[in-house]
Amino acid sequence: MNKNYNRPPIYLLLILLITFIFFLSFSNPEHNDTSFKQLPTMSGAYEALNFWSNARSYPGSHVNSIKYEKAFKKEKSILQKNQNIDEVSPWESIGPGNVPGRMNALAVNPQNPKTLYAGSASGGLWRTYNSSTDAGWHRVTTGFPVLGVMAIAIDPVDTNVIYIGTGEVYGYQNSVGSIAVRLTRGSYGIGILKTTDGGASWSKSLDWSIDQERGIQDLVINPLNRNSIYAATSEGIYKSIDAGNTWNMLHNALMAQDIIIHPGDTNKVMASCGNLGSTGTGIYTSSDAGGSWNKVSRLPNYSGKTLIDYYQSNPDIVFASVANSESSIGLYRTDNFGETWTRVHNEDVQRYQGFFSHWVAVHPTDLQQVVHA
């Protein structure tokens, strides 16, 4: 006779055991509903690292590992080829090394080239009395809430007189410090400041406020009349004929970027205007010291900005770096101060920075040396 006929089937025992363990685990206070529903929080370090990665992968969403490795090998090969080439007049940093960030403007004291002034993107105005070393840079206190300094002009006769243009504006009334989108880079200024005692004290020359959302891009002093000053601003081209005591708008093309004055005939002025699709984009010339302006022809339309520089040995020769918002159009040259133009370089040197970081500079006595970067 089978004596186990009253025992429950083995599978019933297994079901009871699993059910008991399940309820026992949920009776533990460490496994309540709150702990299960709680989601991990994103750390500030993660956000910072993600921002760092996005900035370097732009305009893509990530850094392509295959392309990265290919670029690494290419650069390594180039370095190996050039490691035995002697460098001529190598560049070296002269500071300031005690402040991070970008420098927007640099001015040399024409009577003492060891004294330099540098305008920073978000740290105000800086100065050194010894340009050969990294040490000695110090911030110049203006007494005004100045962050971005985009332009500096030093009086060539009395170098105690200095003008600085405040703000760093690229998109008209659309600068939020590149918090959201890189095309919103910059900050608003408070107009033009002036010192007559070498920076010990400052006063408002062109009086603007931050809430007006304006900025000064360039300042140029007439080489034959130190009381005559031109300013390229977000609102257009301004001029003072009384050493900055008063200013008048000469031309209302928005986002004026760069100004040059013909040193042989200071009635001839050229200015570039426009950035990030603002109205009135183009290069303009004046033959009556800014009284009237004409837009030059035979240059392409552009959505970024244009920078200009002239050849000092023959100021009728001018080069213009023309770019769309995120790509280069080319380097153009005129031999008659803007009447006709020829493209002399078409490499996309700006890449994704046509609204921001490109420049042109011409050697004062050697026309073969032109920097387009």
Side-chain angles (χ1 to χ4, degrees):
M1 178 183 293
N2 187 354
K3 295 182 180 180
N4 294 328
Y5 67 91
N6 288 328
R7 293 180 181 178
I10 188 64
Y11 68 85
L12 290 178
L13 293 175
L14 290 174
I15 292 174
L16 289 174
L17 179 61
I18 292 172
T19 304
F20 174 77
I21 294 173
F22 180 82
F23 280 103
L24 182 63
S25 65
F26 273 88
S27 66
N28 190 333
E30 294 181 358
H31 297 284
N32 50 46
D33 289 342
T34 303
S35 64
F36 264 81
K37 294 180 181 179
Q38 185 175 5
L39 297 175
T41 58
M42 183 182 294
S43 69
Y46 175 83
E47 292 179 345
L49 187 60
N50 198 35
F51 178 83
W52 185 92
S53 178
N54 289 339
R56 284 153 181 79
S57 63
Y58 186 88
S61 59
H62 68 283
V63 177
N64 187 299
S65 58
I66 296 177
K67 292 182 178 179
Y68 178 84
E69 182 181 6
K70 183 179 179 180
F72 174 81
K73 291 179 179 179
K74 180 180 178 181
E75 291 301 315
K76 184 178 180 180
S77 174
I78 293 174
L79 288 174
Q80 289 176 342
K81 290 179 181 179
N82 294 337
Q83 63 182 354
N84 295 323
I85 299 177
D86 293 332
E87 294 184 354
V88 179
S89 301
W91 289 85
E92 59 183 64
S93 174
I94 61 171
N98 54 340
V99 58
R102 295 178 287 111
M103 289 297 173
N104 291 327
L106 182 66
V108 181
N109 185 322
Q111 297 182 11
N112 181 6
K114 284 189 172 294
T115 299
L116 304 181
Y117 290 84
S120 67
S122 58
L125 180 67
W126 291 74
R127 175 176 56 198
T128 179
Y129 292 116
N130 186 357
S131 61
S132 61
T133 68
D134 186 12
W137 283 92
H138 59 276
R139 185 174 181 180
V140 179
T141 302
T142 64
F144 293 91
V146 174
L147 292 177
V149 175
M150 196 73 171
I152 307 169
I154 303 175
D155 189 314
V157 177
D158 182 358
T159 56
N160 284 316
V161 177
I162 305 169
Y163 306 84
I164 63 172
T166 65
E168 183 197 13
V169 180
Y170 297 97
Y172 185 69
Q173 296 186 342
N174 190 38
S175 291
V176 292
S178 198
I179 295 174
V181 182
R182 58 192 289 274
L183 298 182
T184 63
R185 178 180 284 133
S187 62
Y188 299 119
I190 56 173
I192 298 173
L193 301 183
K194 177 183 178 180
T195 179
T196 58
D197 52 17
S201 61
W202 296 80
S203 60
K204 279 283 192 78
S205 177
L206 178 59
D207 190 4
W208 287 346
S209 60
I210 292 178
D211 58 4
Q212 289 179 290
E213 300 182 346
R214 298 175 175 180
I216 309 297
Q217 313 298 105
D218 192 20
L219 289 170
V220 181
I221 298 175
N222 186 325
L224 303 182
N225 181 359
R226 52 195 286 259
N227 292 320
S228 176
I229 311 164
Y230 290 85
T233 83
S234 58
E235 312 306 303
I237 301 168
Y238 281 72
K239 181 181 180 181
S240 174
I241 58 174
D242 54 10
N245 291 322
T246 59
W247 293 87
N248 295 302
M249 179 182 282
L250 302 179
H251 189 45
N252 61 358
L254 298 180
M255 297 303 301
Q257 298 290 327
D258 215 355
I259 296 175
I260 57 176
I261 304 172
H262 194 293
D265 180 1
T266 56
N267 285 316
K268 297 167 63 175
V269 185
M270 181 182 294
S272 62
C273 300
N275 201 358
L276 288 174
S278 60
T279 59
T281 295
I283 292 181
Y284 296 83
T285 59
S286 173
S287 59
D288 56 5
S292 60
W293 296 84
N294 296 305
K295 184 176 179 179
V296 303
S297 59
R298 300 185 182 181
L299 277 179
N301 294 324
Y302 57 89
S303 61
K305 71 175 181 179
T306 288
L307 285 306
I308 51 180
D309 192 26
Y310 67 88
Y311 178 44
Q312 292 185 20
S313 297
N314 182 0
D316 286 332
I317 299 176
V318 180
F319 289 84
S321 175
V322 184
N324 283 323
S325 298
E326 298 187 70
S327 63
S328 173
I329 295 178
L331 179 67
Y332 289 78
R333 169 178 167 172
T334 175
D335 291 348
N336 45 31
F337 207 73
E339 293 182 17
T340 58
W341 295 83
T342 303
R343 187 164 72 172
V344 295
H345 188 226
N346 60 2
E347 183 178 348
D348 187 4
V349 297
Q350 281 80 53
R351 303 302 168 92
Y352 307 105
Q353 304 278 6
F355 75 101
F356 172 56
S357 60
H358 62 101
W359 207 261
V360 59
V362 188
H363 192 284
T365 59
D366 185 356
L367 191 57
Q368 301 303 311
Q369 297 189 46
V370 180
V371 177
H372 183 214

